[in-house]
Short mmCIF file of all heavy atoms in Angstrom, two decimals:
data_model
loop_
_atom_site.label_atom_id
_atom_site.label_comp_id
_atom_site.label_asym_id
_atom_site.label_seq_id
_atom_site.Cartn_x
_atom_site.Cartn_y
_atom_site.Cartn_z
N VAL A 194 1.30 -2.65 9.01
CA VAL A 194 1.15 -2.82 7.57
C VAL A 194 1.26 -1.46 6.88
O VAL A 194 1.83 -1.35 5.78
CB VAL A 194 -0.17 -3.52 7.22
CG1 VAL A 194 -0.29 -3.75 5.71
CG2 VAL A 194 -0.28 -4.85 7.96
N GLN A 195 0.73 -0.42 7.52
CA GLN A 195 0.87 0.91 6.95
C GLN A 195 2.33 1.27 6.70
O GLN A 195 2.68 1.86 5.68
CB GLN A 195 0.26 1.95 7.90
CG GLN A 195 -1.24 2.05 7.86
CD GLN A 195 -1.71 3.26 8.62
OE1 GLN A 195 -1.20 4.36 8.43
NE2 GLN A 195 -2.68 3.08 9.49
N LEU A 196 3.21 0.90 7.64
CA LEU A 196 4.62 1.21 7.47
C LEU A 196 5.20 0.48 6.26
O LEU A 196 6.02 1.03 5.51
CB LEU A 196 5.40 0.86 8.73
CG LEU A 196 5.25 1.84 9.90
CD1 LEU A 196 6.00 1.32 11.12
CD2 LEU A 196 5.76 3.22 9.52
N ALA A 197 4.79 -0.78 6.07
CA ALA A 197 5.28 -1.53 4.91
C ALA A 197 4.81 -0.89 3.61
O ALA A 197 5.57 -0.80 2.63
CB ALA A 197 4.81 -2.98 5.00
N VAL A 198 3.55 -0.42 3.58
CA VAL A 198 3.05 0.27 2.39
C VAL A 198 3.81 1.57 2.19
O VAL A 198 4.24 1.90 1.08
CB VAL A 198 1.53 0.53 2.52
CG1 VAL A 198 1.02 1.37 1.36
CG2 VAL A 198 0.77 -0.79 2.59
N ARG A 199 3.99 2.31 3.25
CA ARG A 199 4.72 3.59 3.19
C ARG A 199 6.12 3.40 2.62
O ARG A 199 6.60 4.23 1.83
CB ARG A 199 4.79 4.17 4.60
CG ARG A 199 5.89 5.20 4.83
CD ARG A 199 6.08 5.44 6.32
NE ARG A 199 7.39 6.01 6.60
CZ ARG A 199 7.58 7.20 7.20
NH1 ARG A 199 6.56 7.93 7.54
NH2 ARG A 199 8.80 7.63 7.43
N ASP A 200 6.78 2.31 2.99
CA ASP A 200 8.18 2.11 2.59
C ASP A 200 8.34 1.54 1.19
O ASP A 200 9.44 1.59 0.64
CB ASP A 200 8.87 1.17 3.59
CG ASP A 200 9.03 1.78 4.97
OD1 ASP A 200 8.98 3.02 5.08
OD2 ASP A 200 9.18 1.02 5.95
N HIS A 201 7.26 0.99 0.60
CA HIS A 201 7.44 0.25 -0.64
C HIS A 201 6.58 0.72 -1.81
O HIS A 201 6.80 0.27 -2.93
CB HIS A 201 7.18 -1.25 -0.40
CG HIS A 201 8.17 -1.86 0.53
ND1 HIS A 201 7.85 -2.23 1.82
CD2 HIS A 201 9.48 -2.18 0.36
CE1 HIS A 201 8.92 -2.74 2.40
NE2 HIS A 201 9.92 -2.72 1.55
N VAL A 202 5.60 1.57 -1.59
CA VAL A 202 4.79 2.09 -2.70
C VAL A 202 5.25 3.51 -2.99
O VAL A 202 5.20 4.37 -2.11
CB VAL A 202 3.29 2.05 -2.37
CG1 VAL A 202 2.48 2.65 -3.53
CG2 VAL A 202 2.84 0.62 -2.10
N ARG A 203 5.70 3.73 -4.22
CA ARG A 203 6.28 5.01 -4.60
C ARG A 203 5.49 5.62 -5.76
O ARG A 203 4.73 4.92 -6.44
CB ARG A 203 7.75 4.82 -5.01
CG ARG A 203 8.67 4.50 -3.83
CD ARG A 203 8.81 5.73 -2.94
NE ARG A 203 9.73 5.52 -1.82
CZ ARG A 203 9.34 5.29 -0.58
NH1 ARG A 203 8.04 5.21 -0.30
NH2 ARG A 203 10.22 5.17 0.39
N PRO A 204 5.67 6.92 -6.02
CA PRO A 204 4.95 7.55 -7.13
C PRO A 204 5.14 6.81 -8.44
O PRO A 204 6.26 6.44 -8.81
CB PRO A 204 5.57 8.96 -7.17
CG PRO A 204 5.99 9.22 -5.77
CD PRO A 204 6.45 7.89 -5.25
N GLY A 205 4.02 6.57 -9.14
CA GLY A 205 4.05 5.88 -10.41
C GLY A 205 3.96 4.37 -10.32
O GLY A 205 3.88 3.69 -11.34
N ASP A 206 3.95 3.80 -9.11
CA ASP A 206 3.91 2.35 -8.94
C ASP A 206 2.54 1.78 -9.28
O ASP A 206 1.52 2.48 -9.25
CB ASP A 206 4.26 1.96 -7.50
CG ASP A 206 5.75 1.96 -7.23
OD1 ASP A 206 6.52 2.21 -8.19
OD2 ASP A 206 6.14 1.73 -6.07
N ILE A 207 2.53 0.47 -9.54
CA ILE A 207 1.30 -0.32 -9.62
C ILE A 207 1.24 -1.16 -8.35
O ILE A 207 2.20 -1.86 -8.02
CB ILE A 207 1.28 -1.22 -10.86
CG1 ILE A 207 1.32 -0.38 -12.13
CG2 ILE A 207 0.03 -2.11 -10.86
CD1 ILE A 207 1.48 -1.21 -13.40
N ALA A 208 0.13 -1.08 -7.62
CA ALA A 208 -0.02 -1.82 -6.37
C ALA A 208 -1.38 -2.49 -6.34
O ALA A 208 -2.36 -1.95 -6.87
CB ALA A 208 0.14 -0.89 -5.17
N PHE A 209 -1.44 -3.67 -5.72
CA PHE A 209 -2.69 -4.41 -5.57
C PHE A 209 -3.05 -4.46 -4.09
O PHE A 209 -2.19 -4.76 -3.23
CB PHE A 209 -2.55 -5.85 -6.07
CG PHE A 209 -2.53 -6.01 -7.57
CD1 PHE A 209 -2.51 -4.92 -8.42
CD2 PHE A 209 -2.52 -7.29 -8.13
CE1 PHE A 209 -2.50 -5.07 -9.80
CE2 PHE A 209 -2.49 -7.46 -9.51
CZ PHE A 209 -2.48 -6.36 -10.34
N ASP A 210 -4.31 -4.20 -3.78
CA ASP A 210 -4.86 -4.38 -2.43
C ASP A 210 -5.86 -5.51 -2.51
O ASP A 210 -7.00 -5.33 -2.95
CB ASP A 210 -5.52 -3.09 -1.94
CG ASP A 210 -6.02 -3.20 -0.50
OD1 ASP A 210 -5.79 -4.26 0.12
OD2 ASP A 210 -6.63 -2.24 -0.02
N VAL A 211 -5.46 -6.69 -2.09
CA VAL A 211 -6.29 -7.89 -2.18
C VAL A 211 -6.95 -8.11 -0.82
O VAL A 211 -6.30 -8.45 0.16
CB VAL A 211 -5.44 -9.12 -2.59
CG1 VAL A 211 -6.33 -10.35 -2.70
CG2 VAL A 211 -4.72 -8.85 -3.90
N GLY A 212 -8.26 -7.90 -0.78
CA GLY A 212 -8.99 -7.87 0.48
C GLY A 212 -9.04 -6.45 0.97
O GLY A 212 -8.55 -6.11 2.04
N ALA A 213 -9.67 -5.57 0.17
CA ALA A 213 -9.61 -4.13 0.44
C ALA A 213 -10.44 -3.73 1.66
O ALA A 213 -10.20 -2.66 2.24
CB ALA A 213 -10.10 -3.35 -0.78
N ASN A 214 -11.43 -4.54 2.04
CA ASN A 214 -12.29 -4.23 3.18
C ASN A 214 -12.86 -2.83 3.01
O ASN A 214 -13.41 -2.51 1.97
CB ASN A 214 -11.53 -4.42 4.50
CG ASN A 214 -12.45 -4.60 5.68
OD1 ASN A 214 -12.85 -3.65 6.32
ND2 ASN A 214 -12.80 -5.84 5.98
N ALA A 215 -12.74 -1.97 4.01
CA ALA A 215 -13.33 -0.63 3.92
C ALA A 215 -12.53 0.32 3.05
O ALA A 215 -12.97 1.43 2.78
CB ALA A 215 -13.51 -0.03 5.31
N GLY A 216 -11.33 -0.09 2.63
CA GLY A 216 -10.56 0.73 1.69
C GLY A 216 -9.40 1.49 2.28
O GLY A 216 -8.80 2.31 1.58
N ALA A 217 -9.03 1.22 3.53
CA ALA A 217 -7.99 2.03 4.18
C ALA A 217 -6.65 1.92 3.46
O ALA A 217 -5.97 2.92 3.23
CB ALA A 217 -7.83 1.61 5.64
N PHE A 218 -6.26 0.70 3.08
CA PHE A 218 -4.95 0.55 2.45
C PHE A 218 -4.98 0.97 0.98
O PHE A 218 -3.99 1.50 0.46
CB PHE A 218 -4.44 -0.88 2.60
CG PHE A 218 -4.00 -1.19 4.00
CD1 PHE A 218 -4.72 -2.05 4.80
CD2 PHE A 218 -2.87 -0.59 4.51
CE1 PHE A 218 -4.31 -2.31 6.10
CE2 PHE A 218 -2.45 -0.83 5.81
CZ PHE A 218 -3.18 -1.69 6.61
N ALA A 219 -6.09 0.75 0.30
CA ALA A 219 -6.20 1.25 -1.07
C ALA A 219 -6.10 2.77 -1.07
O ALA A 219 -5.49 3.37 -1.97
CB ALA A 219 -7.52 0.80 -1.69
#
């Protein structure tokens, strides 16, 4: 999942982390 985030979230983007848990992906 980290790779998918790395490839698709760019500077200035708006992103949602639904089910943030401990916050690693946020």
Side-chain angles (χ1 to χ4, degrees):
V194 182
Q195 282 191 48
L196 284 176
V198 174
R199 159 194 159 120
D200 292 339
H201 295 108
V202 178
R203 289 290 183 258
D206 280 357
I207 298 173
F209 285 6
D210 184 4
V211 181
N214 201 270
F218 287 110

